[in-house]
Amino acid sequence: MGEAVNRAGTSEEVKPRSVRVVLMALMIAMLLAMLDNMIIGTAMPTIVGELGGLEHLSWVVTAYTLATAASTPIWGKLGDMYGRKGSFLTSIVIFLVGSALSGMAQDMGQLIGFRAVQGLGAGGLMVGVMAIIGDLIPPRDRGKYQGMMAGVMALAMIGGPLVGGTITDHMGWRWSFYINLPLGAVALAMVSAVLHLPRKERGKTKIDYLGAALLTVAITAIVLVTTWGGTEYDWASGQIVGLIVTGVVALTAFLFVETRAAEPVLPLHIFRSRNFTLMSAIGFLTGFAMFGAVLYLPLFQQSVQGASATNSGLLLLPMLLSMMAVSLVAGRITTNSGRYKVFPIAGSALMVVGLYLLATMDTSTTRLVSGLYMAVLGAGLGFLMQITMLVAQNSVEMKDMGVASSSATLFRTLGGSFGVALMGSLFTSRVQDTMTERLGAAGAGATGAGAQLDAASLAKLPEAVREAYQHAVAAGTHGAFLLGAAVTVLGFLAAWFVKEVPLKGSGPAPAAAEEPTGAQTQQAPVAG
């Protein structure tokens, strides 16, 4: 058994080995959630070839995303109410059941349904990891472990497409889902054996079913608007307008219900903390830029720079390595000094610069230059990715740790949805316009409705059309990244209003700019 960890950092020291064993189990679970979509992306053409249902292809991803986003805040609240370990283990089991069923799917309809089950479990994985770390390690000491989380993210983004392609080619697409089972079994066994947290007293708490239902409707409407807008349906279409109205009505009703619920699924009082609100906004903007960059950087390098689609994960290596290194350094400095305000400011500034530099790329930009630009963006993300969660968790009481973690995760997810949708809409528009300018109406038709061509399709085009398309993609990425840079300026401005609240934990704290809202003591969780 490891020694107890006091949330305020006033008790005995934790044995580093015990914490590392727990964190290893948590990182495996985190890898499950992140790796899944990266692997499935490369298997989708094979899946469609066997199951058919090409017209429903997007729902394989959308069902998973919707279920994940909608369940995220509910998992956070369940952990706060009934205990984090139990809810976390339950989410792993649901994820693994969804994975096994997805691997056994016999048609596209079954696959979409089972992917939704998988997404329900995935919603609890990331939240569970972040909230348990929040319980286990005081904020002041948490920075030293940031590199592990950044490393897992890099491993998923780089290794996912490579592993997915290898599994699909040599073992079949079903193993893209089955591969989760041994990893999940290891995570289940390790978490069950080594993680011991205080039991929650259930009391007579009442679940906020109405609030959960309204929040689910609102999140679903938002995600569908950002997923379908400009692609499946025009932005002014009845379907999109109807979804927007539904989302606004559901969100308004949700806010009304939460002010009266005995145990609200998302307590609105956590937003009274300036730092929590600012970190939620910065997290949203970070997700906006990051998910857009991850989507359009490989597209630019494949279409314009002639890179192989098979190695698409490796194309992001400069950004991911930079993000991991900077995250590790920022975490160490935060642990040693207790100060963190400089990191959101520096991170937002570097993101603005990095996105602007990426917006300057054209058909003559070399891979070396684009790699350097990606490294600048990665450094900005490294300053922000874990610090935003750390400060958000430090801004609430221990009883709200789960909903704080889930809210921060949800805002980042929604930011990614908006980023992909808006940057994608602008990208498509610029590609079509440029093709029309260069080749007339026939040029616009050559790229199809999606304005995206894979390497094989691109190679079949006449040289004049191919050259025009490369210029069009460069113009599209210019517009998309310029939008990302403009949006990220808002994050830079917001970062200046963050207050240097002392991080709870061991070591001398910096002078307080305002009183933290978190509790000062907590029953000690045990690692090991």
Side-chain angles (χ1 to χ4, degrees):
M1 281 289 184
E3 295 181 36
V5 184
N6 183 288
R7 178 62 176 79
T10 58
S11 69
E12 308 96 327
E13 289 187 0
V14 189
K15 290 181 179 179
R17 182 182 174 188
S18 301
V19 173
R20 290 195 185 101
V21 172
V22 176
L23 286 179
M24 186 179 299
L26 297 178
M27 292 303 106
I28 292 174
M30 182 177 171
L31 183 63
L32 279 174
M34 299 194 66
L35 196 61
D36 187 71
N37 265 339
M38 306 301 292
I39 289 179
I40 298 308
T42 55
M44 286 310 300
T46 305
I47 293 174
V48 171
E50 181 173 328
L51 299 183
L54 177 62
E55 68 276 13
H56 303 303
L57 175 64
S58 63
W59 271 105
V60 176
V61 176
T62 301
Y64 181 91
T65 304
L66 269 177
T68 301
S71 64
T72 291
I74 298 172
W75 281 114
K77 186 61 180 180
L78 290 175
D80 285 341
M81 292 175 65
Y82 301 117
R84 254 177 274 292
K85 182 177 178 178
S87 63
F88 184 55
L89 292 175
T90 302
S91 70
I92 295 177
V93 171
I94 293 175
F95 180 84
L96 295 181
V97 169
S99 297
L101 291 173
S102 295
M104 295 186 287
Q106 299 301 306
D107 56 50
M108 191 61 78
Q110 289 183 11
L111 180 59
I112 290 170
F114 296 148
R115 281 283 282 169
V117 174
Q118 198 182 20
L120 286 176
L125 292 182
M126 290 294 289
V127 173
V129 169
M130 297 301 177
I132 290 172
I133 289 175
D135 272 351
L136 195 64
I137 306 171
R140 182 65 185 271
D141 298 329
R142 210 173 299 157
K144 69 179 72 172
Y145 299 103
Q146 285 182 193
M148 293 179 66
M149 288 180 274
V152 168
M153 181 179 294
L155 179 63
M157 289 184 175
I158 296 171
L162 297 176
V163 172
T166 302
I167 289 176
T168 302
D169 289 341
H170 295 91
M171 301 173 68
W173 66 265
R174 296 182 186 276
W175 278 96
S176 296
F177 296 103
Y178 293 151
I179 193 65
N180 293 327
L181 302 182
L183 282 174
V186 171
L188 272 175
M190 292 180 69
V191 171
S192 299
V194 303
L195 179 63
H196 302 279
L197 296 172
R199 292 184 179 275
K200 297 276 186 179
E201 293 185 9
R202 294 178 183 249
K204 295 183 179 180
T205 53
K206 189 175 181 180
I207 297 177
D208 179 20
Y209 290 108
L210 180 57
L214 289 170
L215 182 59
T216 299
V217 171
I219 292 173
T220 300
I222 292 171
V223 173
L224 288 178
V225 166
T226 57
T227 302
W228 287 346
T231 54
E232 295 286 328
Y233 305 101
D234 290 335
W235 286 103
S237 66
Q239 292 88 342
I240 298 300
V241 172
L243 283 171
I244 292 174
V245 172
T246 300
V248 170
V249 171
L251 186 59
T252 303
F254 168 74
L255 295 175
F256 177 79
V257 168
E258 294 305 273
T259 60
R260 287 158 174 76
E263 195 66 51
V265 68
L266 182 59
L268 301 183
H269 66 79
I270 62 178
F271 292 96
R272 294 174 189 162
S273 166
R274 177 196 294 188
N275 275 4
F276 181 83
T277 302
L278 288 172
M279 287 301 119
S280 298
I282 293 172
F284 178 92
L285 298 170
T286 301
F288 187 105
M290 182 183 74
F291 285 98
V294 168
L295 178 63
Y296 290 106
L297 277 171
L299 177 61
F300 175 86
Q301 292 193 313
Q302 291 169 35
S303 300
V304 179
Q305 297 180 328
S308 168
T310 305
N311 299 322
S312 57
L314 294 176
L315 303 176
L316 299 173
L317 197 57
M319 182 177 79
L320 297 173
L321 288 179
S322 174
M323 180 180 71
M324 185 166 58
V326 170
S327 179
L328 185 60
V329 171
R332 288 289 180 179
I333 293 175
T334 300
T335 296
N336 293 333
S337 68
R339 297 188 178 277
Y340 52 81
K341 180 175 180 176
V342 65
F343 298 129
I345 295 173
S348 300
L350 284 172
M351 281 185 64
V352 173
V353 173
L355 287 165
Y356 176 77
L357 290 174
L358 290 171
T360 65
M361 296 189 302
D362 56 28
T363 55
S364 64
T365 303
T366 65
R367 293 189 194 180
L368 174 61
V369 171
S370 60
L372 293 174
Y373 294 168
M374 281 190 281
V376 176
L377 177 61
L381 290 170
F383 279 130
L384 288 170
M385 288 299 293
Q386 305 306 328
I387 289 293
T388 50
M389 180 66 73
L390 172 65
V391 178
Q393 290 179 334
N394 190 62
S395 303
V396 302
E397 297 181 20
M398 278 297 293
K399 67 183 180 67
D400 293 323
M401 182 64 69
V403 292
S405 302
S406 64
S407 297
T409 303
L410 177 62
F411 278 110
R412 186 178 297 171
T413 300
L414 293 179
S417 295
F418 275 91
V420 169
L422 298 180
M423 293 171 77
S425 180
L426 182 59
F427 172 86
T428 301
S429 175
R430 292 293 295 271
V431 168
Q432 297 289 346
D433 289 347
T434 304
M435 291 294 287
T436 301
E437 288 174 8
R438 288 179 170 266
L439 299 175
T447 59
Q452 298 182 26
L453 298 175
D454 57 26
S457 300
L458 190 60
K460 296 176 183 177
L461 294 176
E463 184 177 351
V465 177
R466 184 167 61 251
E467 182 180 340
Y469 181 71
Q470 290 174 335
H471 282 280
V473 169
T477 52
H478 169 78
F481 287 126
L482 206 57
L483 173 62
V487 168
T488 311
V489 169
L490 299 176
F492 175 71
L493 296 176
W496 285 95
F497 293 93
V498 174
K499 288 193 174 183
E500 195 93 70
V501 178
L503 294 175
K504 304 157 196 165
S506 57
E514 67 177 1
E515 288 299 318
T517 60
Q520 298 304 313
T521 59
Q522 169 73 13
Q523 186 179 355
V526 178

